Amino acid sequence: MRLTELPIGATGRVCELAGEANVCARLRELGFCESAVIARVSGQKTLLCQLCNTRIALSDTAARHIVVELIRGGV
């Protein structure tokens, strides 16, 4: 599923970054690399995520490039 589909409060593992190469490269620079564990904290158009004990806000457009697998369910 895409990060935008991950329920709020859920935790997932990044499987791949899909889409435009320059956006994927920027996401990797921010720490969204394959196998990273990410929690979705809140948001719809702007998603607040926790990655490596750091909260990062992403646009829904950027978040659509991140494919995750669900580890733990959300609210």
Side-chain angles (χ1 to χ4, degrees):
M1 75 177 72
R2 303 289 175 164
L3 180 57
T4 53
E5 299 165 356
L6 189 69
I8 293 173
T11 302
R13 184 179 323 279
V14 177
C15 296
E16 70 174 302
L17 300 178
E20 302 168 30
N22 60 338
V23 175
C24 292
R26 181 64 182 135
L27 288 170
R28 282 189 183 90
E29 290 171 355
L30 290 171
F32 293 93
C33 56
E34 289 78 356
S35 299
V37 175
I38 182 172
R40 183 168 173 190
V41 177
S42 67
Q44 293 297 323
K45 293 299 276 180
T46 302
L47 282 69
L48 183 60
C49 303
Q50 185 152 340
L51 175 70
C52 299
N53 295 319
T54 301
R55 289 191 174 191
I56 300 174
L58 289 175
S59 69
D60 62 338
T61 305
R64 280 191 212 108
H65 293 334
I66 304 171
V67 179
V68 298
E69 64 177 336
L70 182 66
I71 296 174
R72 282 187 299 273
V75 177

XYZ file of all heavy atoms in Angstrom:
554
model
N 0.841 -1.182 0.000
C 0.000 0.000 0.000
C 0.886 1.245 0.000
O 2.042 1.186 0.416
C -0.945 -0.020 1.208
C -0.291 0.320 2.542
S -1.384 0.386 3.963
C -1.740 -1.318 4.180
N 0.344 2.325 -0.452
C 1.057 3.608 -0.417
C 1.004 4.181 0.991
O 0.102 3.868 1.770
C 0.424 4.608 -1.389
C 0.350 4.139 -2.817
C 1.695 4.094 -3.438
N 1.618 3.529 -4.787
C 2.568 3.628 -5.676
N 3.694 4.244 -5.369
N 2.442 3.094 -6.849
N 1.953 5.022 1.322
C 1.985 5.647 2.646
C 0.700 6.425 2.907
O 0.220 6.471 4.029
C 3.211 6.550 2.786
C 3.383 7.266 4.112
C 3.423 6.282 5.277
C 4.640 8.112 4.105
N 0.101 6.992 1.875
C -1.155 7.740 2.040
C -2.298 6.828 2.477
O -3.274 7.306 3.042
C -1.544 8.446 0.729
O -1.567 7.484 -0.327
C -0.581 9.559 0.389
N -2.178 5.516 2.239
C -3.223 4.554 2.611
C -2.983 3.940 3.994
O -3.870 3.273 4.529
C -3.288 3.435 1.574
C -3.620 3.927 0.185
C -3.335 2.886 -0.891
O -2.801 1.810 -0.562
O -3.657 3.156 -2.045
N -1.808 4.139 4.565
C -1.493 3.601 5.885
C -2.371 4.308 6.915
O -2.418 5.537 6.941
C -0.010 3.831 6.199
C 0.547 3.144 7.446
C 0.608 1.633 7.236
C 1.948 3.670 7.750
N -3.093 3.556 7.739
C -3.976 4.202 8.728
C -3.187 5.065 9.722
O -2.035 4.763 10.044
C -4.626 3.023 9.463
C -4.441 1.847 8.568
C -3.176 2.096 7.804
N -3.823 6.116 10.205
C -3.214 6.965 11.226
C -2.975 6.123 12.471
O -3.840 5.370 12.899
C -4.097 8.183 11.527
C -4.137 9.094 10.299
C -3.602 8.940 12.751
C -5.096 10.243 10.391
N -1.782 6.223 13.033
C -1.412 5.447 14.200
C -0.759 4.123 13.862
O -0.251 3.440 14.739
N -0.763 3.762 12.586
C -0.178 2.491 12.166
C 1.313 2.645 11.886
O 1.809 3.743 11.645
C -0.884 1.969 10.914
N 2.007 1.515 11.922
C 3.432 1.464 11.624
C 3.639 0.569 10.410
O 3.003 -0.473 10.291
C 4.214 0.896 12.831
O 3.950 1.722 13.960
C 5.707 0.872 12.557
N 4.526 0.988 9.531
C 4.827 0.207 8.341
C 6.306 0.202 8.041
O 7.070 0.990 8.591
N 6.686 -0.720 7.162
C 8.067 -0.814 6.707
C 8.099 -0.417 5.233
O 7.272 -0.885 4.452
C 8.595 -2.240 6.865
C 10.055 -2.402 6.493
C 10.568 -3.819 6.691
N 10.042 -4.506 7.857
C 10.482 -4.363 9.107
N 11.461 -3.518 9.361
N 9.951 -5.043 10.094
N 9.038 0.439 4.867
C 9.154 0.880 3.486
C 9.628 -0.296 2.639
O 10.659 -0.906 2.918
C 10.136 2.072 3.354
C 10.293 2.478 1.899
C 9.661 3.248 4.192
N 8.848 -0.629 1.604
C 9.197 -1.717 0.682
C 9.962 -1.183 -0.518
O 10.932 -1.787 -0.960
C 7.945 -2.422 0.185
S 7.008 -3.243 1.458
N 9.479 -0.056 -1.048
C 10.136 0.544 -2.208
C 9.699 1.993 -2.369
O 8.691 2.411 -1.803
C 9.825 -0.234 -3.488
C 8.389 -0.111 -3.959
C 8.137 -0.769 -5.300
O 8.806 -0.395 -6.276
O 7.269 -1.652 -5.343
N 10.476 2.714 -3.120
C 10.119 4.070 -3.532
C 9.819 3.988 -5.016
O 10.659 3.541 -5.798
C 11.259 5.043 -3.250
C 11.670 5.150 -1.775
C 12.836 6.106 -1.627
C 10.519 5.585 -0.914
N 8.625 4.387 -5.397
C 8.185 4.250 -6.781
C 7.829 5.618 -7.345
O 7.250 6.447 -6.650
C 6.966 3.338 -6.848
N 8.186 5.847 -8.589
C 7.831 7.105 -9.235
C 9.032 7.839 -9.784
O 10.040 7.235 -10.137
N 8.915 9.154 -9.825
C 9.951 10.002 -10.410
C 11.275 9.849 -9.666
O 11.326 9.885 -8.438
C 9.513 11.466 -10.358
C 8.210 11.731 -11.080
C 7.654 13.109 -10.775
O 8.468 14.026 -10.519
O 6.438 13.247 -10.793
N 12.342 9.695 -10.420
C 13.666 9.433 -9.847
C 14.133 10.559 -8.923
O 14.700 10.284 -7.855
C 14.686 9.209 -10.956
N 13.873 11.815 -9.300
C 14.349 12.917 -8.462
C 13.588 12.994 -7.134
O 14.162 13.302 -6.100
C 14.284 14.252 -9.208
C 12.880 14.613 -9.649
O 12.007 13.768 -9.779
N 12.669 15.892 -9.899
N 12.303 12.659 -7.140
C 11.526 12.649 -5.895
C 11.989 11.495 -5.010
O 12.183 11.658 -3.805
C 10.012 12.531 -6.186
C 9.221 12.401 -4.890
C 9.530 13.728 -6.991
N 12.210 10.329 -5.607
C 12.679 9.164 -4.850
C 14.060 9.422 -4.246
O 14.321 9.046 -3.094
C 12.717 7.921 -5.737
S 11.060 7.371 -6.225
N 14.921 10.090 -4.979
C 16.253 10.415 -4.460
C 16.145 11.359 -3.269
O 16.843 11.179 -2.257
C 17.109 11.041 -5.551
N 15.268 12.331 -3.336
C 15.083 13.271 -2.229
C 14.506 12.559 -1.008
O 14.922 12.817 0.129
C 14.170 14.431 -2.663
C 13.940 15.457 -1.596
C 15.218 16.174 -1.202
N 14.939 17.115 -0.148
C 15.671 17.282 0.940
N 16.767 16.581 1.106
N 15.336 18.153 1.850
N 13.571 11.648 -1.221
C 13.002 10.889 -0.111
C 14.075 10.038 0.573
O 14.113 9.936 1.797
C 11.852 10.007 -0.592
C 10.572 10.755 -0.970
C 9.599 9.816 -1.668
C 9.927 11.384 0.253
N 14.963 9.438 -0.218
C 16.070 8.661 0.370
C 16.982 9.555 1.198
O 17.455 9.153 2.258
C 16.862 7.957 -0.721
C 16.191 6.718 -1.235
C 17.089 5.897 -2.155
N 16.337 4.767 -2.669
C 15.632 4.776 -3.788
N 15.595 5.865 -4.545
N 14.967 3.693 -4.176
N 17.224 10.777 0.741
C 18.052 11.720 1.496
C 17.411 12.059 2.846
O 18.111 12.313 3.824
C 18.262 13.006 0.697
C 19.153 12.836 -0.514
C 19.161 14.066 -1.405
O 18.409 15.036 -1.145
O 19.911 14.045 -2.397
N 16.086 12.053 2.898
C 15.363 12.351 4.138
C 15.309 11.145 5.070
O 14.889 11.269 6.218
C 13.939 12.808 3.818
C 13.801 14.176 3.159
C 12.368 14.396 2.694
C 14.216 15.269 4.139
N 15.704 9.962 4.569
C 15.718 8.773 5.408
C 14.675 7.734 5.048
O 14.593 6.690 5.685
N 13.849 8.008 4.049
C 12.822 7.060 3.622
C 13.418 6.025 2.667
O 13.078 5.954 1.494
C 11.668 7.791 2.935
C 10.883 8.667 3.851
C 11.205 10.007 3.984
C 9.845 8.160 4.593
C 10.479 10.831 4.833
C 9.116 8.977 5.446
C 9.438 10.310 5.568
N 14.322 5.212 3.195
C 14.957 4.188 2.365
C 14.254 2.855 2.593
O 13.486 2.686 3.543
C 16.444 4.086 2.672
S 16.788 3.778 4.399
N 14.505 1.910 1.701
C 13.918 0.595 1.816
C 14.278 -0.028 3.169
O 15.398 0.133 3.637
C 14.376 -0.296 0.660
C 13.771 0.074 -0.692
C 14.397 1.283 -1.375
O 15.295 1.937 -0.792
O 13.986 1.596 -2.507
N 13.339 -0.676 3.793
C 13.439 -1.330 5.108
C 13.299 -0.373 6.291
O 13.305 -0.814 7.434
C 14.726 -2.132 5.248
O 14.774 -3.145 4.275
N 13.177 0.918 6.058
C 12.974 1.867 7.161
C 11.584 1.654 7.758
O 10.624 1.355 7.054
C 13.120 3.298 6.660
N 11.483 1.811 9.074
C 10.205 1.685 9.769
C 9.641 3.086 9.970
O 10.335 3.985 10.440
C 10.391 0.959 11.119
C 9.087 0.932 11.898
C 10.906 -0.455 10.877
N 8.378 3.248 9.593
C 7.742 4.563 9.633
C 6.375 4.445 10.303
O 5.670 3.466 10.108
C 7.617 5.134 8.204
C 7.008 6.515 8.209
C 6.845 4.211 7.305
C 7.047 7.190 6.864
N 6.025 5.434 11.101
C 4.711 5.496 11.729
C 3.979 6.724 11.196
O 4.565 7.803 11.098
C 4.840 5.588 13.243
N 2.723 6.544 10.833
C 1.914 7.677 10.385
C 1.245 8.285 11.606
O 0.477 7.621 12.300
C 0.886 7.237 9.360
C 0.090 8.396 8.835
C -0.713 8.046 7.632
N -1.580 9.140 7.283
C -2.539 9.064 6.394
N -2.724 7.928 5.744
N -3.292 10.106 6.132
N 1.540 9.540 11.878
C 1.045 10.212 13.080
C -0.295 10.885 12.824
O -1.245 10.719 13.593
C 2.086 11.239 13.602
C 1.553 11.984 14.803
C 3.396 10.538 13.919
N -0.407 11.651 11.739
C -1.652 12.357 11.434
C -1.612 12.912 10.021
O -0.603 12.829 9.337
C -1.879 13.500 12.435
O -0.886 14.495 12.261
N -2.731 13.531 9.623
C -2.795 14.282 8.381
C -3.414 13.570 7.199
O -3.450 12.348 7.156
N -3.901 14.394 6.255
C -4.466 13.901 4.999
C -3.708 14.493 3.808
O -3.076 13.766 3.077
C -5.956 14.267 4.897
C -6.828 13.557 5.909
C -6.839 12.053 5.734
O -6.813 11.557 4.621
N -6.857 11.335 6.835
N -3.781 15.815 3.633
C -3.050 16.477 2.539
C -1.574 16.624 2.877
O -0.724 16.536 2.009
C -3.653 17.852 2.229
C -5.038 17.807 1.659
C -5.105 17.074 0.353
C -4.737 17.967 -0.817
N -4.793 17.287 -2.097
N -1.281 16.866 4.134
C 0.089 16.879 4.633
C 0.170 15.811 5.712
O -0.535 15.877 6.707
C 0.467 18.250 5.227
O 0.294 19.250 4.221
C 1.905 18.256 5.699
N 1.009 14.811 5.472
C 1.116 13.691 6.405
C 2.251 13.934 7.379
O 3.344 14.306 6.966
C 1.405 12.394 5.644
C 0.237 11.713 4.944
C -0.236 12.517 3.768
C 0.644 10.341 4.520
N 1.983 13.727 8.650
C 3.013 13.802 9.676
C 3.412 12.371 9.998
O 2.573 11.555 10.370
C 2.497 14.519 10.931
C 3.511 14.725 12.048
C 4.701 15.557 11.567
C 2.852 15.380 13.244
N 4.702 12.066 9.798
C 5.220 10.716 9.987
C 6.374 10.755 10.973
O 7.040 11.770 11.108
C 5.728 10.153 8.672
S 4.486 10.128 7.393
N 6.584 9.638 11.633
C 7.732 9.510 12.518
C 8.670 8.477 11.916
O 8.278 7.353 11.633
C 7.316 9.098 13.920
C 8.493 9.087 14.862
C 8.091 9.345 16.294
O 7.028 9.883 16.562
N 8.935 8.953 17.203
N 9.912 8.881 11.736
C 10.936 8.051 11.121
C 12.219 8.235 11.921
O 12.706 9.360 12.045
C 11.140 8.489 9.667
C 12.235 7.847 8.865
C 11.891 6.391 8.557
C 12.448 8.594 7.562
N 12.731 7.171 12.501
C 13.971 7.233 13.294
C 13.877 8.296 14.395
O 14.762 9.139 14.549
C 15.173 7.507 12.409
S 15.455 6.246 11.177
N 12.776 8.292 15.153
C 12.546 9.232 16.256
C 12.504 10.697 15.825
O 12.743 11.583 16.630
C 13.580 9.038 17.375
C 13.436 7.687 18.032
O 12.322 7.236 18.263
N 14.543 7.042 18.322
N 12.245 10.921 14.535
C 12.118 12.275 14.012
C 10.780 12.400 13.299
O 10.407 11.528 12.518
C 13.244 12.587 12.999
O 14.500 12.431 13.650
C 13.123 13.987 12.445
N 10.059 13.477 13.575
C 8.793 13.702 12.880
C 9.045 14.519 11.621
O 9.713 15.548 11.673
C 7.791 14.399 13.791
C 7.318 13.458 14.871
C 6.160 13.993 15.612
N 5.678 12.959 16.526
C 4.539 13.027 17.180
N 3.782 14.092 17.042
N 4.172 12.054 17.966
N 8.470 14.040 10.522
C 8.666 14.661 9.217
C 7.297 14.855 8.575
O 6.480 13.934 8.565
C 9.548 13.782 8.307
C 10.918 13.581 8.942
C 9.677 14.392 6.914
C 11.808 12.602 8.190
N 7.054 16.042 8.022
C 5.824 16.318 7.296
C 6.075 16.135 5.806
O 7.076 16.627 5.277
C 5.354 17.741 7.579
N 5.181 15.392 5.159
C 5.273 15.142 3.717
C 3.970 15.535 3.050
O 2.894 15.320 3.617
C 5.486 13.651 3.432
C 6.806 13.007 3.759
C 6.705 11.515 3.483
C 7.907 13.616 2.926
N 4.064 16.048 1.842
C 2.847 16.273 1.066
C 2.290 14.915 0.660
O 3.024 13.922 0.581
C 3.154 17.107 -0.183
O 3.931 16.339 -1.087
N 0.984 14.867 0.387
C 0.402 13.604 -0.049
C 0.979 13.161 -1.391
O 1.105 11.970 -1.666
C -1.126 13.682 -0.086
C -1.655 14.713 -1.067
O -0.911 15.648 -1.416
O -2.830 14.607 -1.456
N 1.416 14.116 -2.205
C 2.037 13.781 -3.490
C 3.349 13.036 -3.280
O 3.599 12.014 -3.925
C 2.297 15.077 -4.304
O 1.070 15.792 -4.440
C 2.848 14.746 -5.673
N 4.180 13.503 -2.376
C 5.444 12.814 -2.083
C 5.181 11.476 -1.403
O 5.844 10.482 -1.687
C 6.330 13.692 -1.214
N 4.189 11.434 -0.508
C 3.889 10.209 0.235
C 3.386 9.098 -0.675
O 3.569 7.916 -0.381
C 2.870 10.497 1.326
N 2.784 9.459 -1.804
C 2.317 8.439 -2.757
C 3.465 7.666 -3.391
O 3.260 6.587 -3.912
C 1.477 9.087 -3.855
C 0.079 9.369 -3.423
C -0.820 9.756 -4.592
N -1.812 10.685 -4.108
C -1.845 11.976 -4.385
N -0.974 12.508 -5.182
N -2.779 12.739 -3.884
N 4.679 8.198 -3.340
C 5.844 7.509 -3.902
C 6.393 6.433 -2.975
O 7.243 5.652 -3.367
C 6.969 8.501 -4.200
C 6.667 9.473 -5.308
N 5.795 9.216 -6.309
C 7.141 10.711 -5.559
C 5.741 10.238 -7.147
N 6.550 11.172 -6.694
N 5.916 6.402 -1.731
C 6.443 5.470 -0.727
C 5.491 4.289 -0.578
O 4.338 4.458 -0.201
C 6.631 6.183 0.628
C 7.536 7.402 0.460
C 7.195 5.224 1.659
C 7.611 8.302 1.671
N 5.996 3.100 -0.906
C 5.199 1.874 -0.781
C 5.616 1.192 0.525
O 6.813 0.970 0.753
C 5.444 0.932 -1.983
C 4.648 -0.341 -1.834
C 5.121 1.640 -3.289
N 4.625 0.894 1.370
C 4.908 0.312 2.690
C 4.126 -0.984 2.878
O 3.115 -1.217 2.221
C 4.554 1.290 3.834
C 5.378 2.552 3.764
C 3.082 1.623 3.845
N 4.620 -1.804 3.796
C 3.859 -2.962 4.251
C 3.470 -2.696 5.700
O 4.270 -2.145 6.471
C 4.656 -4.252 4.136
C 5.892 -4.299 5.021
C 6.623 -5.628 4.944
O 5.996 -6.636 4.607
O 7.819 -5.628 5.237
N 2.274 -3.057 6.074
C 1.765 -2.823 7.424
C 2.461 -3.743 8.415
O 2.563 -4.948 8.193
C 0.259 -3.063 7.452
C -0.453 -2.829 8.780
C -0.391 -1.359 9.164
C -1.886 -3.287 8.681
N 2.969 -3.158 9.505
C 3.574 -3.931 10.590
C 2.594 -4.027 11.748
O 2.321 -5.089 12.264
C 4.900 -3.288 11.076
C 5.940 -3.304 9.963
C 5.416 -4.021 12.302
C 7.206 -2.563 10.331
N 2.065 -2.863 12.181
C 1.090 -2.791 13.271
C -0.041 -1.869 12.852
O 0.189 -0.818 12.269
C 1.726 -2.222 14.538
C 2.583 -3.228 15.300
C 3.048 -2.653 16.633
N 3.867 -1.472 16.487
C 5.191 -1.495 16.309
N 5.826 -2.639 16.246
N 5.869 -0.380 16.199
N -1.270 -2.248 13.191
C -2.453 -1.479 12.833
C -2.558 -0.163 13.562
O -1.871 0.093 14.541
N -3.451 0.660 13.062
C -3.634 1.984 13.631
C -4.911 2.102 14.424
O -5.479 1.121 14.876
N -5.373 3.338 14.581
C -6.557 3.666 15.367
C -7.794 3.162 14.690
O -7.990 3.187 13.553
C -6.652 5.203 15.570
C -7.898 5.572 16.317
C -5.413 5.698 16.260
